[in-house]
Amino acid sequence: MLHDLDSDTGLQAPNYSGIIPSVAHAQGHHHITERLYRVPDGVLQPELHSPSAMPLAQVAHDQLRAHVLGDYYPCLGARAAFAHGSYRFGFYRDLGRAASARAHAVDLRRFVDEYHQMGDFATFVALFKNPQVTTEARFEKLLWKHLQLLHQRDGLVWDAHYEPDPEDPHFAFSFAGCAMFVVGMHAGASRFSRRLAFPGLIFNPEAQIRRLKEQGIFPKFADQVRARDTRYQGTTNPSIPTTAASIESEARVYSGKAHPPGTAAACPFHPRPEVVESHHRSDETHPSS
């Protein structure tokens, strides 16, 4: 059953969408256009005749898509995902509220189930109607509140490649057993690359970053992103370590608020004790993982 996405109920319901090619006719010729489609329950890949997303969701999506595919947007992975349609999109009412986190959790779990078949760079984008955030400090609090709410709806399995303690240099947020590098975006962001009318969280599977490292191309990839961001903004990004090896914890960079290496930055995220215990038991059983 599809929800009425123009209602508050719809904005707090699962809202899993994606880009698929659609054949259109113009002056007797075929050409390809792209539209955002709602993915029906029980179907992981979008279908041609799925109803389109609500108008406000379409506006939010189109703003983000234009931003990412602009000539100067720095993140090469995000640009690849948006250029090839290897992303999924959800639009919800409130960042940091339980009802929206519940719907988001359903959609994020579906993304974890399917991202392996989507391409080398796949990502899940969650945008929110509310609130209109104007400061980085407030957004950072809402980001971690939302991730905590997602975590409360997750199982016991934390991605074995990473640690659940946000102060650990090997931390990465994990959901449904899949670690994600989270990128926050909002209207009050000091970095142009993170500035968007709607607050949002972009979830990038860490497995894709590990693949780049295994191939030996991650340092070059990261340096290119840093260089592009510097050209875009005119200044270096103080929230990102100067080298890939100098990062203290991913928790310091998710929100975009500057936490330069070596400065205090207490993270409000708390992994559930049973998850930590299960993770440690797994480490003891599989010490090489």
Side-chain angles (χ1 to χ4, degrees), residues 144 147-148 151 158 164-166 171 173-174 267-272:
W144 286 112
L147 294 184
Q148 189 75 55
H151 178 59
W158 195 274
D165 178 3
F171 167 82
F173 180 73
S174 175
C267 177
F269 179 79
H270 299 288
R272 305 193 324 267

Side-chain angles (χ1 to χ4, degrees), residues 84-147:
H84 295 98
S86 57
Y87 67 97
R88 294 295 180 262
F89 174 83
F91 189 66
Y92 314 98
R93 192 174 77 174
D94 301 297
L95 176 65
R97 297 293 295 271
S100 295
R102 181 168 56 249
H104 183 191
V106 173
D107 292 341
L108 188 57
R109 189 169 287 108
R110 295 179 71 175
F111 172 74
V112 170
D113 288 340
E114 75 158 333
Y115 84 86
H116 301 277
Q117 55 187 299
M118 291 171 59
D120 289 340
F121 292 100
T123 191
F124 182 87
V125 180
L127 296 186
F128 302 84
K129 180 181 179 182
N130 301 311
Q132 290 301 307
V133 184
T134 57
T135 69
E136 291 182 318
R138 186 185 182 205
F139 177 77
E140 187 170 55
K141 291 180 180 178
L142 288 171
L143 176 148
W144 286 112
K145 182 179 180 181
H146 196 87
L147 294 184

Side-chain angles (χ1 to χ4, degrees), residues 153-176:
R153 303 197 65 81
D154 198 11
L156 292 179
V157 178
W158 195 274
D159 191 314
H161 296 89
Y162 301 90
E163 294 301 319
D165 178 3
E167 303 304 323
D168 192 295
H170 301 292
F171 167 82
F173 180 73
S174 175
F175 187 82

Side-chain angles (χ1 to χ4, degrees), residues 67 133-137 139 184-197 233 255-257:
H67 181 53
V133 184
T134 57
T135 69
E136 291 182 318
F139 177 77
M185 304 183 76
H186 62 102
S190 59
R191 302 302 295 184
F192 299 155
S193 59
R194 291 181 179 248
R195 194 173 294 174
L196 195 71
Q233 185 87 19
S255 74
K257 184 177 183 293

Side-chain angles (χ1 to χ4, degrees), residues 192-213:
F192 299 155
S193 59
R194 291 181 179 248
R195 194 173 294 174
L196 195 71
F198 296 88
L201 304 176
I202 300 178
F203 293 78
N204 303 301
E206 292 277 2
Q208 298 172 159
I209 300 175
R210 292 201 308 274
R211 185 189 70 248
L212 295 178
K213 291 179 178 178

Side-chain angles (χ1 to χ4, degrees), residues 166-276:
E167 303 304 323
D168 192 295
H170 301 292
F171 167 82
F173 180 73
S174 175
F175 187 82
C178 175
M180 311 272 192
F181 188 94
V182 182
V183 177
M185 304 183 76
H186 62 102
S190 59
R191 302 302 295 184
F192 299 155
S193 59
R194 291 181 179 248
R195 194 173 294 174
L196 195 71
F198 296 88
L201 304 176
I202 300 178
F203 293 78
N204 303 301
E206 292 277 2
Q208 298 172 159
I209 300 175
R210 292 201 308 274
R211 185 189 70 248
L212 295 178
K213 291 179 178 178
E214 291 165 359
Q215 294 172 348
I217 60 178
F218 180 74
K220 181 179 179 180
F221 179 88
D223 287 344
Q224 288 178 330
V225 172
R226 291 188 184 90
R228 287 176 61 88
D229 189 48
T230 300
R231 287 197 300 270
Y232 189 26
Q233 185 87 19
T235 60
T236 57
N237 190 341
S239 71
I240 302 296
T242 55
T243 67
S246 65
I247 190 169
E248 297 178 21
S249 169
E250 284 191 7
R252 304 172 71 88
V253 301
Y254 283 178
S255 74
K257 184 177 183 293
H259 296 295
T263 61
C267 177
F269 179 79
H270 299 288
R272 305 193 324 267
E274 62 271 25
V275 173
V276 175

